[in-house]
Amino acid sequence: MEDGVLKEGFLVKRGHIVHNWKARWFILRQNTLLYYKLEGGRKVTPPKGRILLDGCAITCPCLEYENRPLLIKLKTRTSTEYFLEACSREERDAWAFEITGAIHAGQPGKVQQLHILKNSFKLPPHISLHCIVDKMHDSSGGIRPSPNMEQGSTYKKTFIGSSLVDWLISNSFSANRLEAVTLASMLMEENFLRPVGVRSMGAIRSGDLAEQFLDDSTALYTFAESYKKKISSKEDISLSTVELSGAVVKQGYLAKQGHKRKNWKVRRFVLRKDPAFLHYYDPSKEENRPVGGFSLRGSLVSALEDNGVPTGVKGNVQGNLFKVITKDDTHYYIQASSRAERTEWIEAIKKLT
């Protein structure tokens, strides 16, 4: 990294005038968060914009957009609001930690309080959230939503927090109540579950990652609408149960060359195993459905030279490139944000080919 750069990488930003979502390259410095457009695999200078961090307020997690659960919200001293989306819970928390540190630079007491953000939840490698939610919907042994009352209001098709904790333990997804609460928080952050009513919504607004889901007989939750949309057709069910059923090994924003027009666009890549698939999503869209993907069985992956434009790559795109050749001889050209990130992706893919 350049001198003075605390963190850099892709985030998806909501536009100010037209509220569309676009991937931008962000660079965090001590007092400023800069963002750049990306064209042809390179960031366009000067910066597209800058966020002054002095007096800025940060909200993380931010749940103002139901279908974008990995948001950070920044509100500047002049009340301008910025919504930034990360590619994973860990990456979101890492950005939030560094941004908060930059905001409170020179105030050691506040910086020390940020350890909660640093302790991001990590899903055990043998557990798939999709498999858990599928089992929760099972008619015989799943969670059965029912009408529940809170403070005089009746909420249809809900279940209480302590019941879900009991269910996760009884189905061997968690060893104890602390693990079950952690897992339930993950399901909620990934938009499979939604808090309902004053009690559970209040826990979300507290901002404490360790206490977002309540193991409580008065806290109500329900299945999120976004999950129902995912299983609304036979095609979706087939995709979810086969290609998307594997455990997530790695995910992140990468630039990809299109097959027809050969233009470069930022995509959120998700690497899964058992079965081994690499899917990519359009981060500007709200629906959590891949725009493309392929099986890694029989694929080849390799780094491309950094000196000069490699064969098959259109435009003056250089640096941190790698190529995946599938079993049916389809070539994918992908660009990471650094050499270290490229190495990580290549090694992770090779283990699954």
Side-chain angles (χ1 to χ4, degrees), residues 145-149 154-158:
S146 61
N148 285 283
M149 183 173 287
T154 300
Y155 298 91
K156 297 179 180 179
K157 296 183 178 179
T158 57

Side-chain angles (χ1 to χ4, degrees), residues 82-100:
Y82 294 87
F83 293 88
L84 312 176
E85 184 180 36
C87 60
S88 68
R89 186 185 308 103
E90 292 81 6
E91 188 67 8
R92 180 201 65 187
D93 293 350
W95 271 105
F97 183 85
E98 295 293 348
I99 291 171
T100 310

Side-chain angles (χ1 to χ4, degrees), residues 171-237:
N171 284 272
S172 302
F173 289 120
S174 305
N176 53 54
R177 301 195 79 81
L178 182 60
E179 284 188 12
V181 168
T182 301
L183 188 51
S185 296
M186 291 180 183
L187 291 166
M188 197 159 55
E189 285 194 35
E190 295 293 343
N191 215 29
F192 291 116
L193 304 180
R194 185 193 305 164
V196 176
V198 177
R199 186 91 170 87
S200 57
M201 288 299 294
I204 285 290
R205 294 192 183 100
S206 73
D208 188 340
L209 295 179
E211 298 176 1
Q212 283 186 6
F213 187 91
L214 296 177
D215 181 6
D216 193 305
S217 60
T218 63
L220 302 180
Y221 299 88
T222 187
F223 291 113
E225 285 298 319
S226 58
Y227 183 75
K228 294 176 183 177
K229 291 175 185 174
K230 286 182 187 176
I231 58 172
S232 61
S233 70
K234 291 181 180 178
E235 180 185 2
D236 282 350
I237 292 173

